[in-house]
Structure formats: structure tokens, C-alpha cells
Amino acid sequence: MDPEEQELLNDYRYRSYSAVIEKALRNFESSSEWADLISSLGKLNKALQSNLKYSLLPKRLIICKRLAQCLHPALPSGVHLKALETYEVIFKIIGTKWLAKDLFIYSSGLFPLLSYAAMSVKPALLTLYERYFLPLQRALLPSLQAFTTGLLPGLEEGLEVYDRTDALLVKLSLLVGQQVFYGALWGSVLISPLVRLPASLFIVTHFDSTSSALQQRYMLGSDHRLVMKSVCLSLQDSNVLVQRNMLEILLNFFPFYSCLDPTEACIPMTRDDVVTIVSAASLTLLRRDMSLNRRLYAWLLGMDIKGNMQAPDPQLSRTLEEHTAFYFHKYSRQLLVQALISILQQRGEETDTESIVAYLRPFRIILSLLDKPEIGPQITGELMLEVVRAFYRYCREMLGEDV
């Protein structure tokens, strides 16, 4: 128990206030219909406002538990709205000091709500965030990743609250620090597949193509290992839009000509790091999706998303064909070959049917690359021996030592 609350318990008025709230909370125990919940929330609101002298609420753990239960996805929007009304009553009473201190108990019910709330509920929830959460500023840091994860579902394209959610996230980034904010964003990408699409969309949308990537390196946060893990996982996501956005992020932040240069790279990377990312990016070829292939080839050949030359050499690249040939040979060919070799050498623990699919995966990738005249002929010679070895290894595993 908080020392301040312990002291307040000596005040008979506070004890009386606590008893009134406890009585209101008992109504929830007998609620059997959603209409009963709305009635119980109304009584709780009256109880909370019966004494506005105290900013420290009694029974707040139970209050937050009941409110979180009232925000259950199975309940109708009317109950959700009434619960949000109760949250607002509470936040007005407790002020920023106690909201910051007890943020973890109030946020447990609120943060997941945006992902499943009805359209009538979303604006009310965002209003709560704007009025009471943003003023906390850096006090939000302990729950920043959870808050960010809770906001990202509002970035679904076509939603009425899209612009409002986007503006809220931008304000949040400025309040807590952009690098810190984007670090939390990448953390959300890593642990929550459901927010990878809006998170990657937010990064792509807010990348300023008129400025250099180095000037916008804050968008990669401060934990570079986290970013690389998140990028690799997202490149293998089941949603093609997530993969597309991640390939654009590779185009913007990880061009081959600079990613291994300590003075030019947005984040410090070893050669093995780049090979790992190229391996993950190469797997997008299995989709046989034109939009993915176009972005991957643009990345490998030193072009931007519109097909223009990226960092062309003025002496050796007078035409686009010369540029792509020079760029691929100098910067990305060896990294791509190493990535493909690593894919060929991977061994999984799949079932028989899955092992055949996994075995064919690198060959399907190589066949796709062979269709690209700027790439295929340049890598065939270096891969041939590894292809034979992979085939021999598979036959030996399937047919035994007599092969």
C-alpha cells in the first residue's frame, strides 16, 4: 500500500469515500447482462464524484479490473463508451501525478481497445489519450512500447481516425524523443505481428525522401540489433504489404553502397548482418509478387523505388544499364551470393512433406534471380558448386549413405 494512502486511511472522510466506492463496485458482481454493466458504471461514476477532495483513489486496483472487464471485445460499444466515460472521470480526479504513478493499472484495459473497438468508440479513446496521456510526456517511457502498440491499429488505411492517430503518434514521438519513440516502435514490430503493417507504414510514410537517410537515422532507434531482427522477421511476414514496406525501408536506410561504411551507414553493421538481411529479403521472391520483386531488384541494383539511379558513379555510369551493372558487381553481388549460399546450407527440422518444400525453396529463389538478366548470369558460376552440394546432401539424407 502506498504510504500516502496509508496516511489517508486515518481520515474518516476518506474511509467513508472508500466505503461508497466499494458499495458501487459490488454492483458488478450481480451484473448478468450488458445493460447491468452500464448501470453499474453509472453508479460507480457517482460514487467516484461523491468526494472530489482526494486525488488518490481507494480500491483503484479493483476499479481498474472492473473497467478492463467492461472493455472486453465481446461487449457492445455502449458498454465500452460508458467505461471510457468512467476512465475520464477518474483521470480528472487523480491528475497527472497519480496517473503517471499508476499508469500500469489504468493502461491494462485501455491499450488493447483500439484494435477491436467499434468506430463510435475509437474517437472517444483517442480523446482520452490526447487529453490525459500525452501531458504525461516522459512519464510515459515505462509503458511507451505498450502505448505505441495500442495506438498502431488506428493506422489502418481507410479508417476515419487514421489522420488523428498518425498525428497523435507524431506528437508522442516529439514528447518522448524521436529516437526513443522509434525504438519502442521497432520493439512493437518484433513482438507483435499484428502491428507490423501499421508500424512499417508509419516509418515509410514519415521518411523524408528530400533528406538523407543519415539525417533520419533516429527512425531506426538506438538498439540496432533489435532493428535487424525486426526487419528480418517482417521480411518473412505472411502479409505481402508488410514485406513491401520493409523492402522500402531497406531501400531508404540500407543501400549497399553505404551499409558497410562506418561513416555513411545509418546503423553499424557487419558483413554477416548484411548477409542475414539479404537472405531474409531474398525469400520474398518466393511470393512471385511483382511489387516485391521490383523493390528487391531496385535495392540490389542501386535504384530507388521509381527506377532512378541511386548514388551513380559519374564516370562509369552514364546510362542506367551501366550503373546497374557497375553497382551490382561492386556492392551487392558478393553479398547476394553469400546469402544464397547460406540459404542453400540451411537445415530445418521439418516433416517429410515440409522438408521437400524447404529443400526446393533456395532453388526457386535462384530460378527467380536467373530471370533477371542483370543478376542471374553474374551469380550462376559462383553458386553452381553449392547447388550441387545441396542436391547431393539432400539425396544422401533421403537415400542413405550409399549415394
Side-chain angles (χ1 to χ4, degrees), residues 270-375:
T270 65
R271 190 175 184 85
D272 287 343
D273 293 333
V274 180
V275 169
T276 301
I277 291 178
V278 176
S279 299
S282 300
L283 294 173
T284 61
L285 289 167
L286 297 171
R287 287 272 195 175
R288 296 193 174 276
D289 182 279
M290 289 295 293
S291 65
L292 296 182
N293 293 356
R294 183 161 57 89
R295 286 165 173 78
L296 177 64
Y297 293 145
W299 184 48
L300 291 171
L301 298 174
M303 297 184 289
D304 61 22
I305 193 64
K306 297 178 181 178
N308 300 317
M309 289 186 286
Q310 194 176 52
D313 188 298
Q315 296 178 342
L316 300 176
S317 306
R318 287 187 294 271
T319 66
L320 184 61
E321 290 75 15
E322 288 180 356
H323 166 72
T324 55
F326 168 77
Y327 187 97
F328 182 68
H329 180 78
K330 183 174 182 180
Y331 298 114
S332 51
R333 182 173 63 88
Q334 282 301 322
L335 291 167
L336 177 61
V337 168
Q338 283 183 252
L340 293 173
I341 289 173
S342 71
I343 295 173
L344 283 165
Q345 293 175 346
Q346 284 175 2
R347 295 185 184 183
E349 298 181 357
E350 299 90 353
T351 61
D352 289 344
T353 306
E354 290 172 339
S355 67
I356 296 172
V357 174
Y359 165 71
L360 292 174
R361 188 180 299 144
F363 298 103
R364 289 173 58 200
I365 293 171
I366 293 170
L367 284 173
S368 296
L369 290 170
L370 289 175
D371 291 337
K372 191 71 174 173
E374 297 93 335
I375 296 175

Side-chain angles (χ1 to χ4, degrees), residues 73-104:
L75 292 171
S77 58
V79 179
H80 292 170
L81 285 169
K82 194 66 178 178
L84 292 181
E85 185 183 314
T86 306
Y87 274 110
E88 182 156 25
V89 168
I90 291 171
F91 295 158
K92 284 179 180 177
I93 293 171
I94 65 176
T96 55
K97 174 191 170 184
W98 284 106
L99 177 56
K101 201 165 187 179
D102 292 334
L103 187 59
F104 69 100

Side-chain angles (χ1 to χ4, degrees), residues 88-131:
E88 182 156 25
V89 168
I90 291 171
F91 295 158
K92 284 179 180 177
I93 293 171
I94 65 176
T96 55
K97 174 191 170 184
W98 284 106
L99 177 56
K101 201 165 187 179
D102 292 334
L103 187 59
F104 69 100
I105 62 172
Y106 294 113
S107 60
S108 60
L110 284 173
F111 286 172
L113 179 59
L114 195 60
S115 62
Y116 57 80
M119 279 308 303
S120 59
V121 177
K122 293 178 191 288
L125 177 60
L126 293 179
T127 298
L128 275 185
Y129 289 154
E130 290 163 350
R131 286 181 183 171

Side-chain angles (χ1 to χ4, degrees), residues 77-206:
S77 58
V79 179
H80 292 170
L81 285 169
K82 194 66 178 178
L84 292 181
E85 185 183 314
T86 306
Y87 274 110
E88 182 156 25
V89 168
I90 291 171
F91 295 158
K92 284 179 180 177
I93 293 171
I94 65 176
T96 55
K97 174 191 170 184
W98 284 106
L99 177 56
K101 201 165 187 179
D102 292 334
L103 187 59
F104 69 100
I105 62 172
Y106 294 113
S107 60
S108 60
L110 284 173
F111 286 172
L113 179 59
L114 195 60
S115 62
Y116 57 80
M119 279 308 303
S120 59
V121 177
K122 293 178 191 288
L125 177 60
L126 293 179
T127 298
L128 275 185
Y129 289 154
E130 290 163 350
R131 286 181 183 171
Y132 303 103
F133 280 65
L134 288 186
L136 297 179
Q137 299 187 17
R138 296 188 70 82
L140 284 167
L141 289 178
S143 59
L144 180 60
Q145 185 170 320
F147 188 30
T148 305
T149 304
L151 283 171
L152 285 169
L155 287 183
E156 183 182 338
E157 289 183 305
L159 285 182
E160 291 179 11
V161 295
Y162 178 92
D163 292 335
R164 193 172 169 188
T165 306
D166 185 74
L168 202 158
L169 284 165
V170 171
K171 288 177 186 174
L172 179 62
S173 71
L174 296 174
L175 288 171
V176 301
Q178 289 180 305
Q179 189 175 45
V180 174
F181 168 78
Y182 279 100
L185 189 73
W186 282 107
S188 299
V189 170
L190 181 65
I191 66 172
S192 181
L194 293 176
V195 302
R196 283 177 189 160
L197 178 56
S200 59
L201 180 64
F202 183 83
I203 295 169
V204 169
T205 304
H206 288 275

Side-chain angles (χ1 to χ4, degrees), residues 1-17:
M1 184 178 290
D2 193 277
E4 191 171 335
E5 186 175 8
Q6 186 69 46
E7 186 178 337
L8 282 171
L9 287 175
N10 297 323
D11 183 346
Y12 76 92
R13 295 184 188 86
Y14 187 77
R15 291 198 302 271
S16 175
Y17 182 42

